Amino acid sequence: MTVYQAYRPGIGRPAARTGRFPSAWKRDRMTWIKPSFLWMMYRCGWGTKEGQETVLAVEITREGFEWALRHACLSHYVPALHPDQAAWKRELARSPARVQWDPERDLHHTPLPYRSLQLGLAGEAAVRYADEWIVGIEDVTPLATEIHALVRAGERERASGLLPEERPYPVADEVLAHLRA
């Protein structure tokens, strides 16, 4: 499956060239992966935000993605899922992955009425991501730039035609049950 990230060129370009993150990539920091191209474009400003100029499409294994989901905690407290805030904070502290459900975005970054998954990886999850789950890394900055130019030119249909294909991700209920209220 494909997830997206954006980095400064010193990290993004070597990662795309070698298929692995370079030593400058910090394994001890939380890294957020986004299965939605348009949400990534919203987050990185089509690759124009400082430190996010290189947009990567990272192909990872389904097993790795689902491992992260199984070991994730929501990034915010939800009374229907957690006995109390203290229990949520304990779960958050020991979880190697975090889930946020944010409004999906359209070509103009307008929020849509459904949610998109953001998956934060730290500790064991970040190490597994970098060392085990990655199948390939592609620099899609030129694609982001081309689509953005079409959006700015008012050519919405052409821009939409260039978007990477994204399909709903089929996942067993037990994988996400602890992440849904």
mmCIF file of all heavy atoms in Angstrom, residues 52-85:
data_model
loop_
_atom_site.group_PDB
_atom_site.id
_atom_site.type_symbol
_atom_site.label_atom_id
_atom_site.label_comp_id
_atom_site.label_asym_id
_atom_site.label_seq_id
_atom_site.Cartn_x
_atom_site.Cartn_y
_atom_site.Cartn_z
ATOM 1 N N GLN A 52 9.412 20.636 3.753
ATOM 2 C CA GLN A 52 8.508 19.629 3.179
ATOM 3 C C GLN A 52 8.488 19.727 1.656
ATOM 4 O O GLN A 52 7.479 19.465 1.025
ATOM 5 C CB GLN A 52 7.097 19.827 3.747
ATOM 6 C CG GLN A 52 7.027 19.662 5.246
ATOM 7 C CD GLN A 52 5.617 19.848 5.761
ATOM 8 O OE1 GLN A 52 4.668 19.283 5.240
ATOM 9 N NE2 GLN A 52 5.476 20.643 6.806
ATOM 10 N N GLU A 53 9.617 20.071 1.085
ATOM 11 C CA GLU A 53 9.699 20.332 -0.349
ATOM 12 C C GLU A 53 9.777 19.068 -1.202
ATOM 13 O O GLU A 53 9.574 19.126 -2.413
ATOM 14 C CB GLU A 53 10.918 21.205 -0.664
ATOM 15 C CG GLU A 53 10.918 22.556 0.021
ATOM 16 C CD GLU A 53 11.629 22.544 1.376
ATOM 17 O OE1 GLU A 53 11.934 21.452 1.903
ATOM 18 O OE2 GLU A 53 11.873 23.634 1.915
ATOM 19 N N THR A 54 10.091 17.944 -0.595
ATOM 20 C CA THR A 54 10.195 16.687 -1.338
ATOM 21 C C THR A 54 9.081 15.759 -0.886
ATOM 22 O O THR A 54 9.050 15.341 0.273
ATOM 23 C CB THR A 54 11.570 16.024 -1.115
ATOM 24 O OG1 THR A 54 12.591 16.974 -1.425
ATOM 25 C CG2 THR A 54 11.741 14.803 -1.995
ATOM 26 N N VAL A 55 8.165 15.464 -1.788
ATOM 27 C CA VAL A 55 7.008 14.629 -1.468
ATOM 28 C C VAL A 55 7.316 13.198 -1.900
ATOM 29 O O VAL A 55 7.688 12.956 -3.045
ATOM 30 C CB VAL A 55 5.735 15.148 -2.171
ATOM 31 C CG1 VAL A 55 4.535 14.287 -1.790
ATOM 32 C CG2 VAL A 55 5.487 16.617 -1.843
ATOM 33 N N LEU A 56 7.149 12.285 -0.957
ATOM 34 C CA LEU A 56 7.457 10.880 -1.220
ATOM 35 C C LEU A 56 6.202 10.019 -1.188
ATOM 36 O O LEU A 56 5.339 10.195 -0.332
ATOM 37 C CB LEU A 56 8.428 10.344 -0.158
ATOM 38 C CG LEU A 56 9.767 11.057 -0.029
ATOM 39 C CD1 LEU A 56 10.570 10.442 1.118
ATOM 40 C CD2 LEU A 56 10.540 11.007 -1.324
ATOM 41 N N ALA A 57 6.131 9.084 -2.136
ATOM 42 C CA ALA A 57 5.145 8.002 -2.101
ATOM 43 C C ALA A 57 5.931 6.787 -1.601
ATOM 44 O O ALA A 57 6.872 6.341 -2.260
ATOM 45 C CB ALA A 57 4.567 7.742 -3.483
ATOM 46 N N VAL A 58 5.563 6.309 -0.428
ATOM 47 C CA VAL A 58 6.285 5.206 0.199
ATOM 48 C C VAL A 58 5.399 3.962 0.136
ATOM 49 O O VAL A 58 4.305 3.947 0.704
ATOM 50 C CB VAL A 58 6.654 5.537 1.665
ATOM 51 C CG1 VAL A 58 7.461 4.410 2.290
ATOM 52 C CG2 VAL A 58 7.414 6.861 1.750
ATOM 53 N N GLU A 59 5.874 2.975 -0.569
ATOM 54 C CA GLU A 59 5.154 1.703 -0.677
ATOM 55 C C GLU A 59 5.563 0.848 0.512
ATOM 56 O O GLU A 59 6.749 0.602 0.735
ATOM 57 C CB GLU A 59 5.524 1.017 -1.991
ATOM 58 C CG GLU A 59 4.665 -0.165 -2.338
ATOM 59 C CD GLU A 59 3.304 0.241 -2.874
ATOM 60 O OE1 GLU A 59 3.141 1.372 -3.343
ATOM 61 O OE2 GLU A 59 2.403 -0.609 -2.809
ATOM 62 N N ILE A 60 4.556 0.421 1.299
ATOM 63 C CA ILE A 60 4.841 -0.412 2.473
ATOM 64 C C ILE A 60 3.990 -1.677 2.422
ATOM 65 O O ILE A 60 3.000 -1.750 1.695
ATOM 66 C CB ILE A 60 4.603 0.336 3.806
ATOM 67 C CG1 ILE A 60 3.135 0.725 3.981
ATOM 68 C CG2 ILE A 60 5.514 1.548 3.916
ATOM 69 C CD1 ILE A 60 2.800 1.297 5.355
ATOM 70 N N THR A 61 4.382 -2.645 3.223
ATOM 71 C CA THR A 61 3.633 -3.895 3.261
ATOM 72 C C THR A 61 2.320 -3.704 4.009
ATOM 73 O O THR A 61 2.213 -2.900 4.933
ATOM 74 C CB THR A 61 4.436 -5.003 3.965
ATOM 75 O OG1 THR A 61 4.605 -4.660 5.345
ATOM 76 C CG2 THR A 61 5.786 -5.240 3.289
ATOM 77 N N ARG A 62 1.346 -4.464 3.595
ATOM 78 C CA ARG A 62 0.052 -4.460 4.277
ATOM 79 C C ARG A 62 0.225 -4.964 5.708
ATOM 80 O O ARG A 62 -0.375 -4.444 6.637
ATOM 81 C CB ARG A 62 -0.927 -5.344 3.497
ATOM 82 C CG ARG A 62 -2.304 -5.382 4.079
ATOM 83 C CD ARG A 62 -3.231 -6.301 3.265
ATOM 84 N NE ARG A 62 -4.514 -6.373 3.905
ATOM 85 C CZ ARG A 62 -5.593 -5.717 3.516
ATOM 86 N NH1 ARG A 62 -5.540 -4.933 2.473
ATOM 87 N NH2 ARG A 62 -6.724 -5.830 4.170
ATOM 88 N N GLU A 63 1.074 -5.967 5.894
ATOM 89 C CA GLU A 63 1.307 -6.525 7.234
ATOM 90 C C GLU A 63 1.866 -5.457 8.177
ATOM 91 O O GLU A 63 1.459 -5.367 9.331
ATOM 92 C CB GLU A 63 2.267 -7.721 7.163
ATOM 93 C CG GLU A 63 1.725 -8.926 6.420
ATOM 94 C CD GLU A 63 1.772 -8.790 4.896
ATOM 95 O OE1 GLU A 63 2.514 -7.935 4.365
ATOM 96 O OE2 GLU A 63 1.019 -9.534 4.224
ATOM 97 N N GLY A 64 2.787 -4.658 7.677
ATOM 98 C CA GLY A 64 3.351 -3.593 8.503
ATOM 99 C C GLY A 64 2.319 -2.544 8.857
ATOM 100 O O GLY A 64 2.220 -2.110 10.015
ATOM 101 N N PHE A 65 1.533 -2.124 7.870
ATOM 102 C CA PHE A 65 0.497 -1.123 8.111
ATOM 103 C C PHE A 65 -0.500 -1.626 9.156
ATOM 104 O O PHE A 65 -0.853 -0.902 10.096
ATOM 105 C CB PHE A 65 -0.207 -0.796 6.796
ATOM 106 C CG PHE A 65 -1.189 0.331 6.893
ATOM 107 C CD1 PHE A 65 -0.756 1.635 7.027
ATOM 108 C CD2 PHE A 65 -2.544 0.075 6.829
ATOM 109 C CE1 PHE A 65 -1.665 2.683 7.116
ATOM 110 C CE2 PHE A 65 -3.467 1.114 6.906
ATOM 111 C CZ PHE A 65 -3.024 2.417 7.053
ATOM 112 N N GLU A 66 -0.903 -2.874 9.028
ATOM 113 C CA GLU A 66 -1.874 -3.411 9.980
ATOM 114 C C GLU A 66 -1.256 -3.641 11.355
ATOM 115 O O GLU A 66 -1.941 -3.506 12.370
ATOM 116 C CB GLU A 66 -2.534 -4.667 9.414
ATOM 117 C CG GLU A 66 -3.449 -4.304 8.266
ATOM 118 C CD GLU A 66 -4.315 -5.442 7.769
ATOM 119 O OE1 GLU A 66 -4.371 -6.520 8.402
ATOM 120 O OE2 GLU A 66 -4.952 -5.238 6.716
ATOM 121 N N TRP A 67 0.042 -3.966 11.419
ATOM 122 C CA TRP A 67 0.722 -4.050 12.711
ATOM 123 C C TRP A 67 0.628 -2.699 13.419
ATOM 124 O O TRP A 67 0.301 -2.621 14.603
ATOM 125 C CB TRP A 67 2.190 -4.451 12.533
ATOM 126 C CG TRP A 67 2.916 -4.646 13.832
ATOM 127 C CD1 TRP A 67 3.105 -5.825 14.484
ATOM 128 C CD2 TRP A 67 3.538 -3.640 14.641
ATOM 129 N NE1 TRP A 67 3.806 -5.610 15.660
ATOM 130 C CE2 TRP A 67 4.082 -4.275 15.780
ATOM 131 C CE3 TRP A 67 3.684 -2.262 14.528
ATOM 132 C CZ2 TRP A 67 4.760 -3.584 16.784
ATOM 133 C CZ3 TRP A 67 4.352 -1.569 15.522
ATOM 134 C CH2 TRP A 67 4.887 -2.234 16.639
ATOM 135 N N ALA A 68 0.889 -1.633 12.668
ATOM 136 C CA ALA A 68 0.819 -0.291 13.247
ATOM 137 C C ALA A 68 -0.595 0.024 13.733
ATOM 138 O O ALA A 68 -0.774 0.563 14.838
ATOM 139 C CB ALA A 68 1.292 0.748 12.236
ATOM 140 N N LEU A 69 -1.601 -0.328 12.954
ATOM 141 C CA LEU A 69 -2.979 -0.078 13.379
ATOM 142 C C LEU A 69 -3.324 -0.862 14.647
ATOM 143 O O LEU A 69 -3.955 -0.327 15.562
ATOM 144 C CB LEU A 69 -3.963 -0.441 12.258
ATOM 145 C CG LEU A 69 -3.958 0.454 11.029
ATOM 146 C CD1 LEU A 69 -4.897 -0.110 9.970
ATOM 147 C CD2 LEU A 69 -4.324 1.893 11.386
ATOM 148 N N ARG A 70 -2.899 -2.107 14.705
ATOM 149 C CA ARG A 70 -3.188 -2.945 15.879
ATOM 150 C C ARG A 70 -2.514 -2.411 17.146
ATOM 151 O O ARG A 70 -3.005 -2.620 18.251
ATOM 152 C CB ARG A 70 -2.731 -4.381 15.639
ATOM 153 C CG ARG A 70 -3.657 -5.202 14.795
ATOM 154 C CD ARG A 70 -3.226 -6.679 14.780
ATOM 155 N NE ARG A 70 -4.224 -7.478 14.135
ATOM 156 C CZ ARG A 70 -4.263 -7.712 12.817
ATOM 157 N NH1 ARG A 70 -3.340 -7.213 12.025
ATOM 158 N NH2 ARG A 70 -5.226 -8.456 12.296
ATOM 159 N N HIS A 71 -1.378 -1.759 16.977
ATOM 160 C CA HIS A 71 -0.606 -1.265 18.115
ATOM 161 C C HIS A 71 -0.765 0.239 18.326
ATOM 162 O O HIS A 71 0.024 0.858 19.031
ATOM 163 C CB HIS A 71 0.871 -1.623 17.930
ATOM 164 C CG HIS A 71 1.127 -3.086 18.012
ATOM 165 N ND1 HIS A 71 0.987 -3.920 16.919
ATOM 166 C CD2 HIS A 71 1.476 -3.876 19.049
ATOM 167 C CE1 HIS A 71 1.258 -5.159 17.282
ATOM 168 N NE2 HIS A 71 1.548 -5.166 18.567
ATOM 169 N N ALA A 72 -1.787 0.816 17.717
ATOM 170 C CA ALA A 72 -1.996 2.257 17.785
ATOM 171 C C ALA A 72 -2.981 2.651 18.875
ATOM 172 O O ALA A 72 -3.825 1.867 19.295
ATOM 173 C CB ALA A 72 -2.497 2.774 16.435
ATOM 174 N N CYS A 73 -2.849 3.875 19.272
ATOM 175 C CA CYS A 73 -3.779 4.531 20.190
ATOM 176 C C CYS A 73 -4.257 5.804 19.491
ATOM 177 O O CYS A 73 -3.513 6.400 18.701
ATOM 178 C CB CYS A 73 -3.033 4.889 21.481
ATOM 179 S SG CYS A 73 -4.022 5.805 22.688
ATOM 180 N N LEU A 74 -5.474 6.204 19.778
ATOM 181 C CA LEU A 74 -5.946 7.473 19.232
ATOM 182 C C LEU A 74 -5.111 8.610 19.804
ATOM 183 O O LEU A 74 -4.702 8.567 20.967
ATOM 184 C CB LEU A 74 -7.414 7.699 19.567
ATOM 185 C CG LEU A 74 -8.424 6.881 18.777
ATOM 186 C CD1 LEU A 74 -9.832 7.129 19.298
ATOM 187 C CD2 LEU A 74 -8.349 7.203 17.297
ATOM 188 N N SER A 75 -4.883 9.630 19.014
ATOM 189 C CA SER A 75 -4.072 10.762 19.464
ATOM 190 C C SER A 75 -4.850 11.707 20.379
ATOM 191 O O SER A 75 -4.286 12.660 20.894
ATOM 192 C CB SER A 75 -3.536 11.539 18.258
ATOM 193 O OG SER A 75 -4.607 12.067 17.522
ATOM 194 N N HIS A 76 -6.115 11.421 20.576
ATOM 195 C CA HIS A 76 -6.937 12.246 21.472
ATOM 196 C C HIS A 76 -7.843 11.348 22.312
ATOM 197 O O HIS A 76 -8.154 10.222 21.935
ATOM 198 C CB HIS A 76 -7.766 13.251 20.668
ATOM 199 C CG HIS A 76 -8.710 12.588 19.708
ATOM 200 N ND1 HIS A 76 -8.291 12.069 18.507
ATOM 201 C CD2 HIS A 76 -10.038 12.333 19.787
ATOM 202 C CE1 HIS A 76 -9.320 11.528 17.876
ATOM 203 N NE2 HIS A 76 -10.394 11.669 18.635
ATOM 204 N N TYR A 77 -8.258 11.866 23.437
ATOM 205 C CA TYR A 77 -9.121 11.146 24.381
ATOM 206 C C TYR A 77 -10.550 11.072 23.848
ATOM 207 O O TYR A 77 -11.102 12.064 23.402
ATOM 208 C CB TYR A 77 -9.085 11.859 25.728
ATOM 209 C CG TYR A 77 -10.106 11.374 26.710
ATOM 210 C CD1 TYR A 77 -10.034 10.093 27.243
ATOM 211 C CD2 TYR A 77 -11.145 12.194 27.118
ATOM 212 C CE1 TYR A 77 -10.971 9.635 28.151
ATOM 213 C CE2 TYR A 77 -12.088 11.749 28.035
ATOM 214 C CZ TYR A 77 -12.001 10.468 28.547
ATOM 215 O OH TYR A 77 -12.926 10.019 29.450
ATOM 216 N N VAL A 78 -11.118 9.859 23.882
ATOM 217 C CA VAL A 78 -12.505 9.638 23.485
ATOM 218 C C VAL A 78 -13.196 8.876 24.618
ATOM 219 O O VAL A 78 -12.871 7.710 24.871
ATOM 220 C CB VAL A 78 -12.598 8.830 22.167
ATOM 221 C CG1 VAL A 78 -14.050 8.511 21.825
ATOM 222 C CG2 VAL A 78 -11.927 9.573 21.032
ATOM 223 N N PRO A 79 -14.132 9.510 25.313
ATOM 224 C CA PRO A 79 -14.780 8.857 26.456
ATOM 225 C C PRO A 79 -15.412 7.501 26.131
ATOM 226 O O PRO A 79 -15.391 6.605 26.966
ATOM 227 C CB PRO A 79 -15.855 9.868 26.888
ATOM 228 C CG PRO A 79 -15.332 11.186 26.410
ATOM 229 C CD PRO A 79 -14.587 10.889 25.127
ATOM 230 N N ALA A 80 -15.922 7.319 24.920
ATOM 231 C CA ALA A 80 -16.560 6.047 24.563
ATOM 232 C C ALA A 80 -15.549 4.910 24.413
ATOM 233 O O ALA A 80 -15.934 3.741 24.446
ATOM 234 C CB ALA A 80 -17.348 6.211 23.261
ATOM 235 N N LEU A 81 -14.275 5.240 24.270
ATOM 236 C CA LEU A 81 -13.246 4.219 24.075
ATOM 237 C C LEU A 81 -12.314 4.039 25.276
ATOM 238 O O LEU A 81 -11.677 3.000 25.406
ATOM 239 C CB LEU A 81 -12.377 4.557 22.855
ATOM 240 C CG LEU A 81 -13.045 4.458 21.503
ATOM 241 C CD1 LEU A 81 -12.098 4.939 20.408
ATOM 242 C CD2 LEU A 81 -13.478 3.028 21.217
ATOM 243 N N HIS A 82 -12.213 5.061 26.113
ATOM 244 C CA HIS A 82 -11.264 5.032 27.228
ATOM 245 C C HIS A 82 -12.009 5.241 28.549
ATOM 246 O O HIS A 82 -12.880 6.103 28.624
ATOM 247 C CB HIS A 82 -10.223 6.137 27.052
ATOM 248 C CG HIS A 82 -9.563 6.128 25.710
ATOM 249 N ND1 HIS A 82 -9.899 7.008 24.716
ATOM 250 C CD2 HIS A 82 -8.610 5.330 25.190
ATOM 251 C CE1 HIS A 82 -9.169 6.764 23.646
ATOM 252 N NE2 HIS A 82 -8.384 5.739 23.902
ATOM 253 N N PRO A 83 -11.669 4.457 29.579
ATOM 254 C CA PRO A 83 -12.354 4.603 30.868
ATOM 255 C C PRO A 83 -12.247 6.021 31.434
ATOM 256 O O PRO A 83 -13.198 6.544 32.001
ATOM 257 C CB PRO A 83 -11.642 3.616 31.790
ATOM 258 C CG PRO A 83 -10.874 2.695 30.898
ATOM 259 C CD PRO A 83 -10.652 3.419 29.607
ATOM 260 N N ASP A 84 -11.081 6.644 31.262
ATOM 261 C CA ASP A 84 -10.868 8.019 31.714
ATOM 262 C C ASP A 84 -9.622 8.575 31.023
ATOM 263 O O ASP A 84 -8.912 7.842 30.326
ATOM 264 C CB ASP A 84 -10.735 8.099 33.238
ATOM 265 C CG ASP A 84 -9.665 7.166 33.783
ATOM 266 O OD1 ASP A 84 -8.541 7.152 33.228
ATOM 267 O OD2 ASP A 84 -9.941 6.459 34.767
ATOM 268 N N GLN A 85 -9.357 9.855 31.232
ATOM 269 C CA GLN A 85 -8.215 10.468 30.562
ATOM 270 C C GLN A 85 -6.892 9.876 31.016
ATOM 271 O O GLN A 85 -5.966 9.746 30.213
ATOM 272 C CB GLN A 85 -8.208 11.981 30.780
ATOM 273 C CG GLN A 85 -8.924 12.700 29.655
ATOM 274 C CD GLN A 85 -8.585 14.166 29.607
ATOM 275 O OE1 GLN A 85 -8.598 14.840 30.621
ATOM 276 N NE2 GLN A 85 -8.308 14.655 28.412
#
